[in-house]
C-alpha cells in the first residue's frame, strides 16, 4: 500500500492537438508548488499523481495544490495491487475511518476501470464492493443519489482508492495565455482583478504608483504584501514601484481641478504601458468596475483607454463591491487591503470630479504641462521587486 495525491484537471480536457502543451505547463506548476515536499510527479492517462509525500506535510501539500490554476480537484488516495481481496480490505479500512464518529451514514461506491483487462466492469465493481461493505458494517445504507460518504475506486496500473475530494482553483495553468501587467493599488479590487486573469493562464507583472511623502512607507509595504499574497496563486510576479509625486503635483497645480483624477489615470496608463512592453506583456489589467466611482463611468473609462494603444482588461467590470470583497476574502488579500494606509489614488481627490469627460477636452488640458521628462525620470527611478520565486 502506498499513499498518493491524485490530481484531476478540467478545462484542459477541452483542448485539441495542443492539449499536451497545457498538460506540461500544469505539471510544471505542480512541481513548483510541491518543490519542498520531495514529491515525485507523474502524468499518465489523463491524471497527475504526486507520490512520496510525507504524511506530516500531506495537508499542506493539498492546500498548495488548491492554489494551482488548472487543477479541478485533488484526492488523497492509497495505491494497492489490482487484487480483488486487497481492494475490498482497503475499502473496508477507508470506510471504517470515515465512520469513526459512530453515527449511521449513507454511502455509495464509485468505480472507474481504466484498465480494460481487469476482469470486472465498473458497474460490477460498484455492485460487488457495495454489497461487501454492507455486509461488513451495520451502520451504513446505500444512497445512490445523495450519499454522505463515497468510496471511490480507479483501476489503472494499480488500484487507487479514496473517500475525499478537495476542489481546486480551476481555470488554466499559469503561463499558457501570455503575460499581462496589473495596475495594483492598495485597495480591494486590483488584487482580485489580477487573480481573475491569472486564473485564465496569464503570467503577471504589476505596477504600483506611490507619492512619497504624501503616501507612507507602510502604504508601499502594504502593496508589496498584496502582490506577495497574489503570487501564492499566480506564481512569480515582477512588481514595479513607480515614484509619482512630481507628476501628481504638476497635475494638481496646472490642470483643471475637476479633471485631475482622469488625467492622473491617463498618465499612469502611459507609464504602465511602457513598463508592460519592456516586460513582454500584451495587455494592461485594472480592477475597475463600471460606475463604482467617478473615474469608472463609461465615459471616463473610454477617455482613460485613449491614452494607450495596448488592450486594457477589466475582469471586474460587471461586479459589485460585495462580490469583489467575497473573492478578496477567499484568496486572502482582503485583510491586507483594508489596512488604513492610503495610496496615491486616494490623496488629492477633487471635490467634484468630472464624470462625463470628453477626450478632446482632456487632451487639451494635458498640454498645460509637458510631462515627457517627468515620465522618463519616473521610469528611470522605478524599483523592481521579484515576488513568488523559489
Amino acid at each position: 500500500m502506498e499513499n498518493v495525491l491524485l490530481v484531476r484537471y478540467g478545462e484542459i480536457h477541452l483542448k485539441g492537438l495542443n492539449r499536451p502543451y497545457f498538460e506540461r505547463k500544469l505539471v510544471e506548476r505542480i512541481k513548483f508548488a510541491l518543490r519542498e515536499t520531495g514529491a515525485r510527479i507523474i502524468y499518465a492517462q489523463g491524471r497527475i499523481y504526486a507520490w512520496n509525500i510525507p504524511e506530516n506535510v500531506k495537508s499542506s501539500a493539498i492546500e498548495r495544490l488548491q492554489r494551482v490554476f488548472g487543477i479541478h480537484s485533488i484526492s488523497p488516495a492509497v495505491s494497492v495491487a489490482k487484487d480483488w481481496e486487497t481492494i475490498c480490505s482497503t475499502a473496508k479500512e477507508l470506510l471504517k475511518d470515515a465512520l469513526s464518529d459512530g453515527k449511521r451514514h449513507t454511502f455509495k461506491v464509485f468505480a472507474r476501470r481504466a484498465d480494460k483487462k481487469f476482469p470486472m466492469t465498473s458497474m460490477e465493481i460498484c455492485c460487488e464492493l457495495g454489497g461487501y461493505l454492507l455486509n461488513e458494517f451495520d451502520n451504513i445504507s446505500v444512497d445512490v443519489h445523495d450519499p454522505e460518504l463515497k468510496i471511490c475506486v480507479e483501476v489503472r496500473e494499480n488500484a487507487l482508492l479514496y473517500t475525499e475530494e478537495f476542489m481546486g482553483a480551476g481555470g488554466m495553468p499559469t503561463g499558457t495565455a501570455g503575460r499581462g501587467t496589473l495596475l495594483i493599488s492598495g485597495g480591494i479590487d486590483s488584487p482580485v482583478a489580477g487573480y481573475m486573469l491569472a486564473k485564465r493562464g496569464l503570467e503577471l507583472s504589476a505596477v504600483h504608483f506611490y507619492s512619497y511623502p504624501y503616501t507612507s512607507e507602510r502604504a508601499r509595504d502594504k502593496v508589496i504584501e498584496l502582490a506577495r499574497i497574489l503570487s501564492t496563486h499566480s506564481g512569480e510576479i515582477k512588481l514595479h514601484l513607480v515614484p509619482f509625486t512630481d507628476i501628481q503635483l504638476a497635475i494638481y497645480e496646472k490642470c483643471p481641478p475637476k479633471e485631475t483624477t482622469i488625467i492622473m489615470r491617463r498618465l499612469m496608463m502611459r507609464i504602465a504601458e511602457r513598463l508592460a512592453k519592456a516586460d513582454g506583456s500584451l495587455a494592461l489589467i485594472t480592477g475597475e468596475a463600471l460606475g463604482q466611482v467617478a473615474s469608472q463611468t463609461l465615459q471616463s473609462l473610454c477617455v482613460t483607454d485613449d491614452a494607450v494603444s495596448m488592450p486594457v482588461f477589466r475582469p471586474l467590470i460587471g461586479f459589485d463591491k460585495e462580490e469583489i470583497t467575497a473573492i478578496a476574502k477567499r484568496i486572502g488579500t482582503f485583510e491586507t487591503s483594508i489596512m488604513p494606509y492610503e495610496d496615491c489614488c486616494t490623496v488629492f481627490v477633487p471635490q467634484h470630479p468630472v464624470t462625463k469627460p470628453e477626450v478632446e477636452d482632456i487632451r487639451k488640458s494635458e498640454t498645460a504641462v509637458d510631462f515627457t521628462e517627468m515620465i522618463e525620470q519616473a521610469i528611470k527611478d522605478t524599483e523592481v521587486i521579484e515576488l513568488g520565486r523559489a
Side-chain angles (χ1 to χ4, degrees), residues 90-116:
T90 304
K92 178 181 176 180
E93 289 303 312
L94 289 176
L95 188 55
K96 181 180 178 181
D97 290 340
L99 293 169
S100 59
D101 60 6
K103 298 179 181 178
R104 185 173 185 82
H105 291 278
T106 58
F107 86 107
K108 179 181 178 180
V109 175
F110 294 81
R112 180 173 182 178
R113 186 190 63 158
D115 179 5
K116 303 306 179 185

Side-chain angles (χ1 to χ4, degrees), residues 64-209:
R64 292 180 186 183
L65 290 177
Q66 287 182 293
R67 292 173 177 261
V68 176
F69 294 125
I71 291 179
H72 172 71
S73 63
I74 311 105
S75 289
V78 292
S79 174
V80 298
K82 290 182 289 188
D83 170 77
W84 183 244
E85 289 186 3
T86 303
I87 292 173
C88 288
S89 61
T90 304
K92 178 181 176 180
E93 289 303 312
L94 289 176
L95 188 55
K96 181 180 178 181
D97 290 340
L99 293 169
S100 59
D101 60 6
K103 298 179 181 178
R104 185 173 185 82
H105 291 278
T106 58
F107 86 107
K108 179 181 178 180
V109 175
F110 294 81
R112 180 173 182 178
R113 186 190 63 158
D115 179 5
K116 303 306 179 185
K117 294 180 181 179
F118 191 74
M120 301 172 68
T121 66
S122 297
M123 183 61 70
E124 288 171 342
I125 294 172
C126 290
C127 293
E128 293 294 327
L129 185 56
Y132 167 80
L133 294 172
L134 278 173
N135 289 331
E136 294 293 319
F137 296 94
D138 296 328
N139 57 338
I140 59 171
S141 58
V142 174
D143 185 342
V144 297
H145 300 294
D146 188 24
E148 295 171 305
L149 302 175
K150 298 179 181 180
I151 298 293
C152 303
V153 183
E154 294 195 14
V155 181
R156 298 178 179 274
E157 294 83 359
N158 293 330
L160 296 169
L161 291 89
Y162 53 92
T163 59
E164 297 177 293
E165 183 174 358
F166 298 90
M167 299 310 297
M172 300 299 293
T174 300
T176 56
R179 177 176 289 274
T181 292
L182 171 69
L183 279 76
I184 186 169
S185 69
I188 296 172
D189 302 342
S190 55
V192 175
Y195 174 89
M196 296 289 285
L197 283 179
K199 185 176 179 178
R200 298 310 308 158
L202 276 185
E203 289 183 297
L204 295 180
S205 294
V207 178
H208 174 69
F209 297 88

Side-chain angles (χ1 to χ4, degrees), residues 19-37:
R19 174 173 157 180
Y21 165 75
F22 291 87
E23 292 169 337
R24 287 195 301 271
K25 282 291 187 179
L26 180 55
V27 170
E28 288 175 8
R29 300 312 305 176
I30 290 173
K31 287 180 177 179
F32 184 79
L34 299 181
R35 63 194 181 280
E36 297 174 357
T37 66

Side-chain angles (χ1 to χ4, degrees), residues 51-346:
W51 298 87
N52 301 339
I53 295 180
E55 187 66 27
N56 64 329
V57 300
K58 184 170 70 174
S59 294
S60 63
I62 293 172
E63 290 177 2
R64 292 180 186 183
L65 290 177
Q66 287 182 293
R67 292 173 177 261
V68 176
F69 294 125
I71 291 179
H72 172 71
S73 63
I74 311 105
S75 289
V78 292
S79 174
V80 298
K82 290 182 289 188
D83 170 77
W84 183 244
E85 289 186 3
T86 303
I87 292 173
C88 288
S89 61
T90 304
K92 178 181 176 180
E93 289 303 312
L94 289 176
L95 188 55
K96 181 180 178 181
D97 290 340
L99 293 169
S100 59
D101 60 6
K103 298 179 181 178
R104 185 173 185 82
H105 291 278
T106 58
F107 86 107
K108 179 181 178 180
V109 175
F110 294 81
R112 180 173 182 178
R113 186 190 63 158
D115 179 5
K116 303 306 179 185
K117 294 180 181 179
F118 191 74
M120 301 172 68
T121 66
S122 297
M123 183 61 70
E124 288 171 342
I125 294 172
C126 290
C127 293
E128 293 294 327
L129 185 56
Y132 167 80
L133 294 172
L134 278 173
N135 289 331
E136 294 293 319
F137 296 94
D138 296 328
N139 57 338
I140 59 171
S141 58
V142 174
D143 185 342
V144 297
H145 300 294
D146 188 24
E148 295 171 305
L149 302 175
K150 298 179 181 180
I151 298 293
C152 303
V153 183
E154 294 195 14
V155 181
R156 298 178 179 274
E157 294 83 359
N158 293 330
L160 296 169
L161 291 89
Y162 53 92
T163 59
E164 297 177 293
E165 183 174 358
F166 298 90
M167 299 310 297
M172 300 299 293
T174 300
T176 56
R179 177 176 289 274
T181 292
L182 171 69
L183 279 76
I184 186 169
S185 69
I188 296 172
D189 302 342
S190 55
V192 175
Y195 174 89
M196 296 289 285
L197 283 179
K199 185 176 179 178
R200 298 310 308 158
L202 276 185
E203 289 183 297
L204 295 180
S205 294
V207 178
H208 174 69
F209 297 88
Y210 66 93
S211 294
Y212 185 82
Y214 299 99
T215 57
S216 68
E217 284 295 313
R218 287 185 174 182
R220 174 183 177 276
D221 293 343
K222 169 184 172 179
V223 170
I224 294 172
E225 176 62 11
L226 283 172
R228 186 200 65 77
I229 296 170
L230 181 56
S231 74
T232 65
H233 300 276
S234 68
E236 302 87 340
I237 293 178
K238 181 188 287 188
L239 174 62
H240 302 264
L241 299 168
V242 183
F244 202 62
T245 308
D246 292 345
I247 294 174
Q248 199 163 18
L249 288 174
I251 293 171
Y252 283 93
E253 289 173 3
K254 303 293 186 180
C255 298
K258 68 178 182 179
E259 296 175 353
T260 53
T261 298
I262 194 71
I263 293 173
M264 179 189 70
R265 294 290 297 172
R266 284 169 60 89
L267 291 172
M268 286 180 172
M269 297 291 274
R270 287 176 185 160
I271 294 172
E273 183 179 46
R274 289 272 300 274
L275 296 171
K277 288 180 177 179
D279 278 351
S281 291
L282 298 179
L284 299 176
I285 306 162
T286 76
E288 292 158 317
L290 186 62
Q292 190 175 103
V293 294
S295 64
Q296 297 175 20
T297 64
L298 183 57
Q299 294 90 339
S300 294
L301 296 178
C302 290
V303 173
T304 299
D305 288 359
D306 172 72
V308 295
S309 59
M310 186 174 283
V312 181
F313 293 159
R314 296 181 172 92
L316 309 182
I317 195 69
F319 284 50
D320 64 30
K321 201 67 176 183
E322 289 186 3
E323 293 170 317
I324 298 169
T325 297
I327 299 174
K329 290 179 178 179
R330 177 165 56 83
I331 68 176
T333 57
F334 178 75
E335 293 299 328
T336 301
S337 291
I338 62 174
M339 293 172 67
Y341 309 125
E342 293 184 320
D343 57 45
C344 67
C345 293
T346 57

Side-chain angles (χ1 to χ4, degrees), residues 337-371:
S337 291
I338 62 174
M339 293 172 67
Y341 309 125
E342 293 184 320
D343 57 45
C344 67
C345 293
T346 57
V347 297
F348 304 120
V349 176
Q351 187 173 2
H352 301 291
V354 62
T355 58
K356 296 182 179 181
E358 295 290 340
V359 67
E360 294 299 332
D361 294 340
I362 301 301
R363 288 175 180 174
K364 182 178 179 180
S365 296
E366 284 179 348
T367 63
V369 181
D370 184 357
F371 292 103

